[in-house]
Amino acid sequence: MKRKIITIVCAVLAIAIGGIAAAEEIKESRQAKEEKQQEETAKEETAANPDAEVKSGLTKEQEEIREKIKATYQVDNQQAIADRLEEEKASGEYTASDMLIEYNPFGTNTQSLYVYFETEEPAAISYNVHVSDSDIGDFRRDVWQEEEYTTEHEFQMIGLIPDTDNTITFYITEEDGSTDTKEIVYEMGSLLGEEETVLKTKMDGEEEELSNGLYVILGNDSDALDFMYYYDNQGVLRGEVPVIGYRSHRLLFRDQSMYYSISETQMARMNPLGQITAVYDLGTYKLHHDYVFDDNGNMLILATDTTQDSVEDIILRLDVNSGAVSEVLDLGDLFGRFKEERVKNDSGELDWIHINTIQWIGDGSVLLSSRETSSIIKIDHIYDGPAVAYIIAEKAVWADTEYENQVLSKEGDFTIQGGQHSITYVDDPSLADGQYYLYMFNNNIGYSATRPDFDWSALGLTETSATEGDTSYYYEYLVDENTGTFQLTDSFKLPYSGYVSSVQNLDGNTIADSGTAGTFGEYDEDHHLIAQFEMQVEKYIYRVYKYDFDGFYFRAGK
C-alpha cells in the first residue's frame, strides 16, 4: 500500500548579535520559546485530549455505520442472532464436507466467519488463510474447543483479508493423527474503517524471534469511527472490532469471556463466537484509561464523576454478574488540600491527578499511575477505608504537602519517571517478601497543566511537548517496601511520545508503543529491536498490547 509521507523541513535562523543587549535578547528569546512551547503543549492537550469522545464531521455513510455499531451492542439483538444460528444448526446435518458458514453474524469482527459442523469421530480443528498477494503470508491457527478432540465444532474463524479472495483450508485431525482437509474460497468485502491492511514494517531481526500472539491496537484515535485492530507478526491486519466510540483500553479475560470498553460509559462482554453477552452501563460516570479485575472477579474501573468539578480521579467497582456499579474511591477525599491548590487546564477541566493505569496487587491494594504528578501511588484497603500507603516519585513533587513523608527514597543516580503510562506490577517469586518489580513507559515529559509554576526541569525532565522530544524510555524499578526505597534496575531508549503509549513484557520480549510517534515495536531480552511497525495516525496510537487469545479464539501455543 502506498503511504503518504509528509516531510517537515525546519529552517533554523541563526542571528549573530553581540554585547550585553544581545545576551538579554537571547535570554528573552529563550523565555518566549519556552512559553510558546508550553502554549503548544496546552493546545495539543485540548486538540488531542486522550479522554474526549467527540465525533464531528462524520460522513452520512459513517453515521449510518455508527448506528449499526450501536445496534450491535444491544444484547437482545445479539441473543436473537444466536437463536437464529441455533435454528440453522437444528435444521440440517452439517458435516466437514457441508459446513454451516456465515460471515460475521454478530457484527463484532469484520474479518471473521462463524463455522459449525459435526464429525463422526472426535477431532481437533485448525485452519489456514491464504491470499494471492505475495506481501501477505498465510495465517494458520488451531481452534480452541472446550475439549481438544470433540465431534461438535463451533467457532469463530478470524484473519480474513479484505477486498480479495481468501482460500481457507480447514484441517480436521483425529486422535490417531489422521487428518482430513476441507478447502473453501471466500471473497471478503471491505473494512468498515480505513486502517492499512499491511503496515509499513522494519524487520531488524527474524520473525521467529517475535513473541506469539496478535498486536491489538487499542485506540488509533481519530474523529472518524472507532475500532480495535488485530495485527499479526508480519504487520498484517487480522481483525477489525468496531466499538461505539472513544476506545478500548485493554482486553480482560475471565470465564471464557473477553471484556473491553466500547464507549465512555459502557463495557461489553464477548464470548468466543463473537456474541456480545452483556453490556454494562456506568450511569453518570465516564470511564477512562484502564480497568482491572480484583481477586473476586469484580472489575475496578478508572472513571470521572460527571456531577463533580474534577476529572479522572474516581475508581468504580463493577460486579460483572449483576451489573451493579459502585464508587469505591474519590481521590479528592485522600488528597483534598493538594487538589484545592491546583488550577484548571486550558480545556477548563480540573484534571489535577490524571490517573492513567490501575494495577491490582492483592489484599485490597492497588497501584495507580498519575500522569499529572509523575507519581505512582499505592492505595491500601481500597474497599474498606482507603489510605495512601506510599508514593513513588521525586520528593520535590510532594514537598510541603501532608504526603511528603510517604514518598519512597530513590536509590541511585537517575532521572525520575515523567508523565509515565502503562505501569505493570510484577510479583517475582525470587524476591523477598515486600519486594516487587514495576515497569512502565516513561514518557520523559515534565509538564503539568494544573500546576504551571512547578519547575520540572530541576528534576531533569526538560521535555514539555506531546510530540516534539528526543527520547522516551522503558523503565523498570525494584520497589522495596521493607526499606522504603526504589531503584532503577533496567531501562532502554524508545521513540519519543510525550503522552499516551505503553510497554508490555511478553515471553522475554518487550512490546512498546510510542503513541504520538505512530509506531510500535518488539524488542528482545537484550533490548535490540526485532521489528517495528508504523501506522498512519490522525492523533496517536493510545496503546498496543499483545494477546495470544489462548483459550478464547485459539488452542494454547498456536
Side-chain angles (χ1 to χ4, degrees):
M1 178 179 292
K2 295 182 178 179
R3 298 174 54 85
K4 295 180 180 178
I5 302 176
I6 302 175
T7 303
I8 302 175
V9 180
C10 297
V12 180
L13 177 62
I15 303 176
I17 54 178
I20 297 175
E24 289 299 320
E25 188 170 337
I26 291 172
K27 181 179 179 182
E28 291 174 4
S29 175
R30 286 176 178 169
Q31 290 175 341
K33 182 179 179 181
E34 289 176 359
E35 290 174 0
K36 182 179 180 181
Q37 195 168 34
Q38 289 183 351
E39 289 176 4
E40 289 174 350
T41 301
K43 289 178 181 177
E44 288 167 351
E45 268 197 322
T46 304
N49 184 348
D51 313 304
E53 184 178 14
V54 179
K55 295 295 169 192
S56 58
L58 291 182
T59 66
K60 182 178 179 181
E61 181 182 6
Q62 288 173 330
E63 288 283 7
E64 291 173 350
I65 293 172
R66 192 163 189 246
E67 290 305 310
K68 290 179 181 178
I69 294 172
K70 289 180 181 179
T72 292
Y73 288 99
Q74 295 292 322
V75 175
D76 289 347
N77 293 345
Q78 293 281 303
Q79 187 57 53
I81 295 166
D83 292 344
R84 177 179 60 76
L85 289 173
E86 286 297 321
E87 292 175 1
E88 289 281 351
K89 287 160 58 178
S91 69
E93 295 184 2
Y94 295 99
T95 65
S97 58
D98 184 22
M99 299 177 179
L100 172 59
I101 297 177
E102 186 169 329
Y103 172 71
N104 187 26
F106 295 106
T108 52
N109 188 339
T110 61
Q111 294 174 260
S112 72
L113 296 174
Y114 166 86
V115 181
Y116 175 82
F117 64 97
E118 295 181 356
T119 52
E120 291 185 3
E121 298 296 328
I125 310 298
S126 303
Y127 63 82
N128 186 77
V129 180
H130 172 81
V131 296
S132 59
D133 190 333
S134 61
D135 291 333
I136 299 176
D138 286 2
F139 182 74
R140 179 162 179 164
R141 291 294 189 273
D142 291 348
V143 172
W144 176 82
Q145 303 179 127
E146 289 189 5
E147 298 180 9
E148 183 174 354
Y149 295 92
T150 184
T151 58
E152 186 175 27
H153 313 283
E154 184 179 33
F155 55 92
Q156 181 181 198
M157 190 222 88
I158 72 171
L160 297 176
I161 301 300
D163 301 313
T164 193
D165 285 340
N166 291 257
T167 300
I168 304 162
T169 305
F170 295 96
Y171 299 89
I172 304 159
T173 303
E174 296 181 5
E175 291 178 281
D176 63 4
S178 61
T179 300
D180 288 333
T181 60
K182 167 68 175 178
E183 184 176 290
I184 67 168
V185 176
Y186 184 83
E187 182 180 4
M188 182 188 157
S190 298
L191 299 168
L192 293 179
E194 299 176 353
E195 291 302 317
E196 302 138 290
T197 301
V198 182
L199 297 179
K200 182 179 179 181
T201 303
K202 174 187 176 185
M203 190 69 70
D204 283 1
E206 300 296 327
E207 186 180 335
E208 293 74 20
E209 298 177 73
L210 296 172
S211 57
N212 177 54
L214 296 172
Y215 301 104
V216 178
I217 311 302
L218 298 156
N220 185 359
D221 287 31
S222 73
D223 287 329
L225 298 170
D226 295 300
F227 303 89
M228 280 194 296
Y229 294 101
Y230 304 162
Y231 282 93
D232 68 17
N233 281 346
Q234 300 176 34
V236 177
L237 185 63
R238 297 298 181 176
E240 181 195 53
V241 179
V243 296
I244 293 171
Y246 195 30
R247 70 174 82 93
S248 300
H249 296 86
R250 72 167 72 231
L251 303 181
L252 298 179
F253 296 89
R254 195 177 184 92
D255 299 330
Q256 303 306 141
S257 294
M258 183 171 81
Y259 296 81
Y260 59 102
S261 52
I262 58 173
S263 74
E264 279 190 309
T265 59
Q266 292 174 303
M267 298 288 304
R269 182 178 71 202
M270 178 195 288
N271 72 16
L273 298 178
Q275 178 186 352
I276 301 301
T277 56
V279 172
Y280 307 98
D281 192 284
L282 303 183
T284 60
Y285 296 98
K286 288 185 177 181
L287 64 85
H288 65 88
H289 285 99
D290 211 4
Y291 32 81
V292 67
F293 278 123
D294 69 12
D295 293 335
N296 296 317
N298 296 301
M299 190 183 298
L300 292 171
I301 302 173
L302 300 182
T304 291
D305 183 346
T306 59
T307 66
Q308 293 189 169
D309 64 344
S310 56
V311 299
E312 305 194 352
D313 53 5
I314 302 292
I315 299 178
L316 304 178
R317 175 171 52 188
L318 168 65
D319 183 326
V320 297
N321 296 314
S322 68
V325 176
S326 57
E327 181 179 311
V328 296
L329 176 60
D330 181 341
L331 286 162
D333 294 338
L334 293 182
F335 295 92
R337 189 177 304 171
F338 183 85
K339 175 182 176 181
E340 289 174 3
E341 294 172 351
R342 305 286 74 82
V343 299
K344 291 184 177 180
N345 60 26
D346 286 356
S347 299
E349 295 177 327
L350 186 57
D351 191 8
W352 63 280
I353 199 159
H354 195 99
I355 303 300
N356 60 34
T357 318
I358 180 170
Q359 291 278 286
W360 175 261
I361 61 176
D363 297 324
S365 296
V366 296
L367 288 173
L368 304 175
S369 169
S370 165
R371 189 197 77 184
E372 191 69 5
T373 65
S374 292
S375 301
I376 298 156
I377 305 166
K378 183 185 179 186
I379 305 293
D380 286 340
H381 314 297
I382 192 165
Y383 294 136
D384 183 19
V388 176
Y390 54 77
I391 301 171
I392 301 171
E394 196 67 68
K395 288 185 179 292
V397 176
W398 295 93
D400 301 322
T401 73
E402 58 190 302
Y403 291 103
E404 62 179 329
N405 293 327
Q406 289 178 269
V407 179
L408 299 187
S409 296
K410 185 178 74 168
E411 288 193 338
D413 184 16
F414 60 92
T415 301
I416 198 72
Q417 76 277 354
Q420 75 289 332
H421 282 74
S422 186
I423 67 167
T424 301
Y425 166 81
V426 180
D427 183 13
D428 189 324
S430 69
L431 296 176
D433 289 344
Q435 294 181 332
Y436 62 88
Y437 290 112
L438 182 71
Y439 69 84
M440 70 200 75
F441 188 100
N442 175 13
N443 298 75
N444 194 35
I445 189 172
Y447 180 76
S448 175
T450 63
R451 197 180 185 183
D453 57 341
F454 188 81
D455 184 10
W456 292 98
S457 65
L459 308 182
L461 297 170
T462 58
E463 304 292 359
T464 59
S465 169
T467 57
E468 301 298 324
D470 291 331
T471 307
S472 293
Y473 294 90
Y474 168 94
Y475 259 25
E476 178 194 76
Y477 290 155
L478 171 61
V479 180
D480 191 335
E481 296 180 328
N482 305 309
T483 60
T485 62
F486 66 99
Q487 57 183 285
L488 184 66
T489 51
D490 196 9
S491 70
F492 64 95
K493 293 182 178 180
L494 296 171
Y496 181 77
S497 179
Y499 290 157
V500 299
S501 309
S502 61
V503 289
Q504 175 194 21
N505 290 340
L506 183 65
D507 297 339
N509 291 346
T510 299
I511 294 95
D513 157 42
S514 294
T516 59
T519 65
F520 64 94
E522 187 161 342
Y523 298 78
D524 67 18
E525 62 183 357
D526 296 317
H527 310 324
H528 298 140
L529 181 67
I530 305 170
Q532 187 175 72
F533 306 93
E534 181 180 335
M535 298 187 72
Q536 294 177 351
V537 294
E538 183 177 322
K539 295 180 180 178
Y540 43 72
I541 311 169
Y542 177 67
R543 268 184 187 157
V544 178
Y545 287 149
K546 200 171 193 179
Y547 299 92
D548 56 26
F549 294 100
D550 288 352
F552 190 74
Y553 295 134
F554 311 130
R555 192 165 74 243
K558 296 292 181 181

